[in-house]
Amino acid sequence: MLVIRPARSADLDVMMELAVLSGRGFTSLPEDEATLSARLALAEASFTGAIAPAEAWYTIMLEDTETGRVEGLAGVRAAVGLKRPHFSFRVMTLAQYSSAIGTRFDHQALVLVNECGGWTEVGSLFLRPERRSGGAGSLLARSRYMLIGAEPTRFSHTIMAELRGWFDETGHSPFWEGVASKFFRLPFEEADRMVMSTDGQFILDLAPRHPIYVDLIDKDAREAIGRVHRDGEPALTLLEKEGFERSGLIDIFDGGPTMTCSADEVATIRATRTLRLEIGDSGEVQALLSTTQIDGFRSVRAAAGIGETAVTISKEAADALKLSSGDPVRVSA
């Protein structure tokens, strides 16, 4: 059975392995042991409540209970942009009109903004390639919303997700090459690493302070604006099913889109009820189930018999959740 559990410091080796598999442009999963070790320490402190809720960054692992192997991971950052700005480009339309010749021109432009301060971010969703079918991705993605719904006061009313931008067949980012590199003048990997391992001051120092007219950008970079990486298309589909929409914001490095949704409009959260757990004949309905608290959070997808006040699941599923008969459990069909 696949189970979602909190990340812990002992996961460093497998997290490094997943970081290598994730490839270029997966900013939140850098191939840097010190950064990932700090991320795991922060995750442990977040789940136990050892830090302020706004500073929490929860990392969850998808584990196969039969083999003990971690098959993927995802994250929920309680609030971005509080201790340092969270920059994006907003794609804006600038209208210009000349009364002398009776002509109007609408120009698209990229404008550096810092609009996301305090928003909750779901991200870092990555699965081993061989696990990208059969519902594992959906379990991992939706479990992030079960986590948020367990204790919603720890999170923002607005939830955002940044998707990896487009990279061509040679592994190069047209947006980086055509736009961002003109300002930062670093190798992409170095800038990518610095996003996670520094305070981000270099972005504030070097990012463009004036609008960039899209018509002046080369064709490949222009077509990459808001385009999702081929490996990110399933994640985009899952986000859209939950009610996320494009916000008009894009990543300043690779041009990937930022999706947003109000927390109370996320489909998984809206469909969730808290019921009493019973162990027995589970029936045939597949349901997403989770614990009711963030500390020790766990989630599974399993057959369930759902009633008005109780839900019946197998002992295997209850053991995966580390719950007993009579305990409260959150259920989303």
Side-chain angles (χ1 to χ4, degrees):
M1 174 173 282
L2 296 177
V3 62
I4 301 294
R5 62 161 177 82
R8 45 185 181 253
S9 296
D11 291 318
L12 180 57
D13 287 345
V14 72
M15 199 171 186
M16 277 294 297
E17 180 186 355
L18 295 175
V20 172
L21 288 173
S22 68
R24 298 187 78 197
F26 208 95
T27 306
S28 60
L29 199 56
E31 296 178 34
D32 184 89
E33 187 169 305
T35 299
L36 296 183
S37 179
R39 169 91 175 267
L40 289 171
L42 178 57
E44 287 190 309
S46 299
F47 278 106
T48 60
I51 59 173
E55 298 176 9
W57 191 348
Y58 307 92
T59 300
I60 54 177
M61 311 302 270
L62 175 68
E63 182 178 299
D64 188 326
T65 58
E66 293 184 8
T67 64
R69 189 171 87 150
V70 171
E71 304 289 356
L73 58 78
V76 178
R77 200 169 186 174
V80 303
L82 295 183
K83 288 191 173 181
R84 67 174 189 176
H86 187 93
F87 290 113
S88 308
F89 281 132
R90 176 163 287 284
V91 184
M92 302 183 69
T93 299
L94 305 178
Q96 293 179 275
Y97 176 75
S98 172
S99 59
I101 59 174
T103 302
R104 169 186 169 127
F105 293 100
D106 288 344
H107 298 279
Q108 278 198 321
L110 306 179
V111 179
L112 188 72
V113 296
N114 175 29
E115 299 182 8
C116 306
W119 293 0
T120 291
E121 181 182 21
V122 293
S124 306
L125 179 64
F126 183 77
L127 283 162
R128 295 181 187 274
E130 62 271 24
R131 277 293 189 177
R132 294 173 188 171
S133 62
S138 176
L139 169 61
L140 189 52
R142 295 183 67 202
S143 292
R144 299 175 301 182
Y145 312 124
M146 298 295 277
L147 176 72
I148 292 170
E151 297 186 46
T153 57
R154 293 195 185 200
F155 304 95
S156 170
H157 178 69
T158 300
I159 303 177
M160 62 178 282
E162 293 183 315
L163 291 170
R164 181 165 27 164
W166 180 254
F167 284 70
D168 64 22
E169 290 73 13
T170 65
H172 290 89
S173 165
F175 187 83
W176 171 263
E177 299 293 343
V179 180
S181 67
K182 311 300 184 185
F183 299 94
F184 296 100
R185 301 191 179 184
L186 296 167
F188 180 88
E189 288 80 1
E190 179 66 11
D192 195 39
R193 182 193 65 78
M194 289 177 67
V195 170
M196 295 298 299
S197 61
T198 73
D199 63 3
Q201 181 63 39
F202 80 103
I203 298 176
L204 187 62
D205 294 338
L206 301 176
R209 289 167 170 75
H210 303 286
I212 302 171
Y213 283 83
V214 172
D215 284 341
L216 301 180
I217 299 172
D218 72 68
K219 181 176 180 292
D220 288 344
R222 188 167 62 246
E223 292 178 349
I225 294 173
R227 188 177 179 184
V228 177
H229 191 281
R230 60 185 66 79
D231 291 342
E233 290 176 356
L236 173 62
T237 299
L238 291 173
L239 287 167
E240 291 175 335
K241 285 182 178 179
E242 291 290 341
F244 283 76
E245 297 178 341
R246 291 175 181 262
S247 65
L249 301 174
I250 64 169
D251 185 83
I252 64 172
F253 286 168
D254 63 23
T258 297
M259 312 288 289
T260 57
C261 187
S262 297
D264 54 9
E265 292 297 322
V266 174
T268 293
I269 295 176
R270 286 193 291 109
T272 301
R273 294 186 291 159
T274 299
L275 302 173
R276 184 181 71 257
L277 175 65
E278 294 182 354
I279 298 174
D281 185 4
S282 57
E284 298 180 355
V285 175
Q286 289 290 314
L288 182 64
L289 305 106
S290 80
T291 54
T292 59
Q293 294 180 321
I294 285 178
D295 188 7
F297 177 82
R298 296 176 77 85
S299 178
V300 299
R301 185 166 182 82
I306 304 173
E308 288 298 317
T309 60
V311 58
T312 303
I313 61 175
S314 67
K315 187 177 186 305
E316 180 188 15
D319 288 345
L321 291 168
K322 295 189 175 181
L323 294 177
S324 302
S325 183
D327 288 338
V329 62
R330 301 182 71 248
V331 183
S332 183

